[in-house]
Amino acid sequence: MLMWTFLGRPECILYLSSALSVMALINRDQLPRLNQSHLTPLMLVTRRVGLKVEGSQFTLEGFPFRIISGTIDYFRIFRQHWRISLRKMYAGGFNTLTTHVPWNLHEPGVGQFHFTENLDLIAFITMASEEGLWVILCPGPYIGSDLDLGGLPSWLLKDPKMKLRTTYKGFTRAMNRYFDHLVPKIAQFQYGKGGPIIAVQIENEYGSYYMDKKYMAYVKTALVSRGISELLMTADDGLNLRKGHLKNVLATVHMKNIKRETYEELKSIQGRSPILMMVYTAKSFDTWGALRNFGDPQMLMKDVKEMFPLGFSFNFYMFHGGTNFGFIGGAQSSNGYLPVVTSYDYCALLTESGAYTPEYRVFQEFFHFVTDAPTIIPPKFARMVAYTPLTVLYFMTLWEVLPHLEEPMKSGKPISMEQLPLNQGNGQSFGYTLYETTIVRGGLLTSKGHIQDRGQVFLDNNYIGVLDHYNDELLIVKNTSKKGQSLRILVENQGRLSSGQDINKERKGLTGDIYLNKTPLRKFTIYSLEMKNAFIQTKLPKLPESWKTVTGHVLGPAFFLSHLRVGDPPQGTYIKVKGWGKGVIFINGQILGRYWTIGPQEALYVPHPWLHPGVNEIMMFEELKGSQKIYFSEKPELGH
Ligand SMILES: *[C@@H]1O[C@H](CO)[C@@H](O)[C@H](O)[C@H]1NC(C)=O
């Protein structure tokens, strides 16, 4: 049926674009004979009826259809890699892409909308369709996805009474404004309009939150009234299916292992219906300071093999996990506060850099065996490289940088990041805030849980300790021959919780009074250190002004600068953080993400489009102690 050019060695296999292959199949007479799972957006010229529930199966344009989906979140993959990832998905035998829409990135400040570059959702959806994939869209407003505040904008928290994910006016007003902007854009790309969107998920795992019985119906109406007309679904874990479910909306399941009770529960809720495992996952994300989570591919395949004969549809989470670039990662709150690491590899079928995993091959083989999908040779993987170790040349301490920042704010009491009078009233979403005051006596400093999340304490620029979720007391020994001493607390927002009712309590920075011998500290000077790209590019002094040469180990917090020479074309790499303590990395003035010696992640992925031929600037904001070298790796080092 299809001709594939094959030149012997695997690395020489020519890949014909799926678009080309599918063109040959646009013949409506043939459609009924095509495999049910391989009706692609490129084949269907006539659009009458989209995805429908008929008895225990889905139909698309009236033909039985089984959803074989994978999740790729466009904001975690560099835009230049979108197409190749989608192509790999199609070649793996998948027919549908699931993607989530992060409100906090699309509307970082009230009414400031961003839908371009790496946030060009429409370009991503269009690309999926060009590559032969249908789309299930999760427009939120809450998406979870292990993001900071589950993808909700932090400016919502300026309102002390905010009730996120409810019909509280302050929330619905903001949501309606966002949906007025978002929904008409996506509505045009629905199946019925000739686009690839075959289904839309309402919210995410609401059953586990369930603070307002009326909320889900409200979100449904908000979508439908703005033009969403394709199949609607809800998605919940097995225990919360009933609570998250809405009448006349298909309930789908999130789960790690197949459980008979769960799909029986599903049946008892909605009768005979197709079963869609909306999050089918091998493992979980990693968190700082914990051991790495490993998936069990054997287990995974066993479950998939069980799902197939039962007629299940599913979405594999993640197909390509990508990276929590910058500060977008959230945190989890089971057994303490656990911030998510920078890599969002998630035991996905493609690694962070898009390399195939052995599991990809297993899935591909299986899908081609059980569906008679055309065998497509997946595209080659662009090699990564370990550059020669770099010598770190220059540094500048944070204290030396302070005079170059915007005027600090003055406040009697501490102010949380969200409440800071910044960014046209939107507060500070991410990064660090430095709180400074003067003390005239020593004693016991107590934070009473008001340091969110991690505060390094300095007395006259000397590090004296850390206050965080686990430590809330620190003894301050004052120098008696000085009258006053400066006390500084550098507070890092390590990521807001991404789920649970406690998201309503999330405030970062100093969220209340800090006491010295039971007296609350007052008269703060507050510096916002959001570490935005513009700050690195324009506020930091240029070389050689103010920069000093690194000799020996320099104590943080400080910025370290080094230069990496790269050939043409640039190749991606991993920066190893061996020898460094904790901080963030910037490549050519763009924030890459967090690193921390406690692991498990030991190297940060640098996509090749971030590099250019010639000299590239690598800057590290190191909080603890700098190293004199930067090492590279050609493979991920996600820990043990
Ligand atoms: C205390 O301050 C004095 C005066 O600035 C200084 O000479 C001395 O070294 C300080 N002592 C300590 C223990 O830091």
Side-chain angles (χ1 to χ4, degrees):
M1 173 168 73
L2 292 169
M3 294 300 291
W4 298 103
T5 315
F6 188 80
L7 298 176
R9 290 185 306 136
E11 59 272 34
C12 293
I13 291 168
L14 277 191
Y15 171 73
L16 286 183
S17 96
S18 56
L20 243 173
S21 66
V22 157
M23 291 304 284
L25 293 175
I26 302 181
N27 173 348
R28 245 164 294 156
D29 300 339
Q30 264 189 350
L31 277 180
R33 275 177 279 118
L34 279 178
N35 182 280
Q36 49 161 324
S37 299
H38 274 78
L39 293 175
T40 80
L42 297 155
M43 289 177 212
L44 281 176
V45 183
T46 318
R47 301 287 180 97
R48 289 188 206 91
V49 268
L51 192 66
K52 285 271 169 297
V53 167
E54 290 196 18
S56 58
Q57 66 180 12
F58 287 114
T59 59
L60 186 62
E61 201 57 55
F63 304 117
F65 184 76
R66 187 201 296 249
I67 298 166
I68 304 175
S69 171
T71 298
I72 304 178
D73 285 335
Y74 51 101
F75 48 92
R76 282 190 172 115
I77 313 284
F78 208 63
R79 183 175 179 154
Q80 278 90 329
H81 292 155
W82 285 353
R83 190 176 292 280
I84 200 110
S85 282
L86 294 166
R87 195 165 287 182
K88 287 172 178 176
M89 183 181 265
Y90 183 82
F94 291 79
N95 59 23
T96 304
L97 160 79
T98 294
T99 197
H100 299 85
V101 187
W103 181 5
N104 59 344
L105 305 183
H106 285 293
E107 194 185 357
V110 176
Q112 301 165 8
F113 295 103
H114 295 301
F115 283 91
T116 58
E117 296 170 7
N118 230 86
L119 291 172
D120 195 340
L121 164 66
I122 297 307
F124 185 64
I125 291 174
T126 306
M127 224 178 254
S129 142
E130 287 163 3
E131 295 301 327
L133 297 163
W134 300 108
V135 173
I136 297 176
L137 196 68
C138 307
Y142 166 89
I143 56 170
S145 308
D146 308 309
L147 290 173
D148 184 283
L149 213 60
L152 295 174
S154 65
W155 47 257
L156 289 166
L157 299 174
K158 273 195 71 175
D159 175 353
K161 297 202 212 78
M162 177 53 65
K163 289 189 197 67
L164 301 166
R165 307 174 70 194
T166 68
T167 52
Y168 172 69
K169 279 275 177 307
F171 185 78
T172 52
R173 207 180 302 124
M175 177 189 122
N176 283 322
R177 185 179 48 230
Y178 169 57
F179 270 11
D180 280 346
H181 207 87
L182 171 73
V183 180
K185 272 189 212 296
I186 58 182
Q188 295 171 51
F189 291 86
Q190 294 180 96
Y191 183 87
K193 303 256 161 71
I197 301 174
I198 52 171
V200 173
Q201 183 186 307
I202 305 174
E203 247 265 353
N204 191 58
E205 297 186 348
Y206 195 71
S208 67
Y209 184 81
Y210 207 58
M211 278 181 65
D212 182 347
K213 282 191 185 112
K214 289 190 228 117
Y215 172 72
M216 284 295 275
Y218 187 94
V219 179
K220 179 188 169 190
T221 307
L223 289 166
V224 172
S225 66
R226 288 172 175 87
I228 296 299
S229 52
E230 298 303 332
L231 186 82
L232 292 172
M233 49 177 71
T234 56
D236 285 283
D237 63 84
L239 296 174
N240 293 295
L241 278 168
R242 205 170 284 274
K243 279 193 278 175
H245 171 58
L246 269 178
K247 227 176 141 198
N248 299 323
V249 172
L250 182 74
T252 71
V253 193
H254 284 186
M255 65 165 72
K256 277 219 173 71
N257 299 102
I258 297 249
K259 285 196 197 80
R260 180 166 288 277
E261 308 93 85
T262 304
Y263 51 86
E264 278 168 0
E265 165 83 344
L266 202 55
K267 200 168 172 189
S268 80
I269 293 169
Q270 59 190 11
R272 205 159 150 250
S273 75
I275 293 175
L276 170 56
M277 307 280 271
M278 219 13 226
V279 165
Y280 186 66
T281 190
K283 60 142 233 178
S284 190
F285 51 87
D286 290 327
T287 56
W288 291 118
L291 289 174
R292 175 148 196 238
N293 275 312
F294 284 98
D296 179 352
Q298 294 305 320
M299 192 66 189
L300 194 67
M301 206 13 96
K302 185 187 142 289
D303 282 349
V304 171
K305 283 186 175 154
E306 198 180 320
M307 274 195 257
F308 253 80
L310 290 170
F312 287 15
S313 279
F314 69 93
N315 171 47
F316 188 74
Y317 189 92
M318 302 287 295
F319 174 79
H320 185 180
T323 310
N324 284 315
F325 290 116
F327 298 114
I328 68 173
Q332 210 197 20
S333 68
S334 63
N335 306 317
Y337 167 85
L338 299 167
V340 176
V341 302
T342 300
S343 168
Y344 200 66
D345 173 285
Y346 216 100
C347 269
L349 299 190
L350 302 182
T351 69
E352 219 174 334
S353 64
Y356 298 106
T357 58
E359 294 82 69
Y360 176 92
R361 308 284 182 196
V362 173
F363 270 82
Q364 186 189 33
E365 211 170 286
F366 179 72
F367 291 154
H368 287 297
F369 180 73
V370 292
T371 69
D372 55 1
T375 302
I376 288 170
I377 308 302
K380 256 171 52 177
F381 164 68
R383 289 214 175 282
M384 305 287 284
V385 64
Y387 291 103
T388 316
L390 274 188
T391 300
V392 179
L393 296 176
Y394 307 100
F395 77 97
M396 198 174 162
T397 67
L398 176 62
W399 321 128
E400 290 163 342
V401 169
L402 294 182
H404 299 276
L405 296 177
E406 311 257 333
E407 270 296 293
M409 293 153 275
K410 302 273 184 190
S411 171
K413 294 183 175 189
I415 306 178
S416 70
M417 288 188 180
E418 292 81 359
Q419 294 287 353
L420 288 174
L422 285 174
N423 298 320
Q424 288 105 47
N426 293 296
Q428 179 178 343
S429 293
F430 303 122
Y432 302 78
T433 309
L434 178 68
Y435 296 84
E436 183 182 277
T437 186
T438 304
I439 56 166
V440 292
R441 64 185 66 83
L444 193 65
L445 192 67
T446 48
S447 64
K448 304 214 186 280
H450 293 153
I451 293 186
Q452 302 285 332
D453 298 291
R454 188 171 189 276
Q456 286 190 76
V457 186
F458 300 87
L459 194 60
D460 283 347
N461 298 357
N462 297 312
Y463 171 80
I464 55 168
V466 167
L467 293 172
D468 58 17
H469 289 265
Y470 308 100
N471 273 329
D472 63 0
E473 287 185 351
L474 184 67
L475 192 65
I476 297 184
V477 183
K478 217 194 132 267
N479 184 331
T480 43
S481 56
K482 286 184 180 173
K483 197 162 159 261
Q485 278 190 286
S486 115
L487 181 81
R488 283 168 165 157
I489 310 176
L490 176 63
V491 187
E492 183 202 5
N493 163 7
Q494 295 187 288
R496 295 183 184 84
L497 296 177
S498 51
S499 60
Q501 295 191 351
D502 284 348
I503 57 174
N504 290 292
K505 296 189 201 133
E506 281 290 54
R507 302 292 185 280
K508 297 300 185 185
L510 292 190
T511 61
D513 282 328
I514 307 295
Y515 297 81
L516 182 59
N517 301 326
K518 301 192 176 144
T519 306
L521 295 175
R522 289 289 178 258
K523 286 194 187 167
F524 286 95
T525 301
I526 306 171
Y527 295 87
S528 162
L529 289 159
E530 293 185 279
M531 304 282 172
K532 284 183 176 168
N533 296 342
F535 159 77
I536 299 298
Q537 288 155 9
T538 64
K539 293 278 163 38
L540 277 188
K542 300 281 166 240
L543 279 173
E545 176 209 340
S546 312
W547 291 85
K548 293 183 197 132
T549 307
V550 173
T551 51
H553 283 287
V554 176
L555 288 182
F559 291 87
F560 291 85
L561 187 59
S562 48
H563 294 109
L564 173 69
R565 195 169 280 282
V566 163
D568 193 3
Q571 284 177 282
T573 188
Y574 292 87
I575 295 183
K576 292 170 77 127
V577 295
K578 193 175 84 182
W580 294 82
K582 180 180 186 310
V584 283
I585 301 182
F586 304 86
I587 309 289
N588 293 318
Q590 288 201 78
I591 185 161
L592 190 66
R594 301 175 171 106
Y595 65 89
W596 196 354
T597 185
I598 64 170
Q601 188 176 359
E602 292 163 9
L604 259 59
Y605 166 55
V606 183
H608 73 80
W610 286 50
L611 300 168
H612 50 245
V615 176
N616 293 265
E617 190 184 89
I618 299 186
M619 191 182 292
M620 298 176 77
F621 173 64
E622 166 63 45
E623 298 169 35
L624 310 173
K625 190 167 117 190
S627 166
Q628 289 168 274
K629 286 274 184 206
I630 297 177
Y631 297 92
F632 299 90
S633 172
E634 74 283 349
K635 56 181 204 314
E637 295 184 13
L638 295 172
H640 306 289

